[in-house]
Amino acid sequence: QSGVQVDPSRWIVVGLQDLPGFEAVARGEAVPAKQVQEGLVALMKQIHASHPQLRAILLECTELPHYADALRAATGLPVLDAITLVDYFQS
């Protein structure tokens, strides 16, 4: 264990299982990127509006980095993803 104490009340965890088009990931099919991006941006705008204390977005699914720029533009928040963070730490 790392010994780091994490307060779960500081995190907003959102599942995308109901995001239109994202079911293609579970099926191993091509993801309709435009449909998913529109839905994801709309969802994050809703979340940001209802949680103004939100300071950043972390995309943990490796299917999501493609949408980071759209989320940054729509919310004005920093958007981090697992792939970019690994690249950063390896550089």
Side-chain angles (χ1 to χ4, degrees):
Q1 293 199 351
S2 69
V4 175
Q5 298 288 325
V6 178
D7 178 2
S9 70
R10 297 185 66 197
W11 297 89
I12 302 165
V13 179
V14 179
L16 300 179
Q17 64 275 8
D18 297 325
L19 187 70
F22 206 65
E23 68 279 356
V25 174
R27 291 190 207 139
E29 299 171 355
V31 176
K34 186 173 189 268
Q35 179 185 22
V36 169
Q37 179 171 310
E38 290 170 355
L40 186 56
V41 165
L43 176 64
M44 287 311 304
K45 283 181 171 180
Q46 277 182 332
I47 292 167
H48 193 208
S50 63
H51 299 280
Q53 76 278 16
L54 188 65
R55 297 292 177 248
I57 299 169
L58 173 62
L59 306 173
E60 68 80 39
C61 176
T62 58
E63 291 286 336
L64 296 176
H66 173 81
Y67 309 104
D69 286 340
L71 291 171
R72 279 186 202 99
T75 64
L77 294 172
V79 179
L80 308 166
D81 65 83
I83 294 171
T84 304
L85 288 172
V86 168
D87 286 346
Y88 173 77
F89 283 113
Q90 287 185 337
S91 64

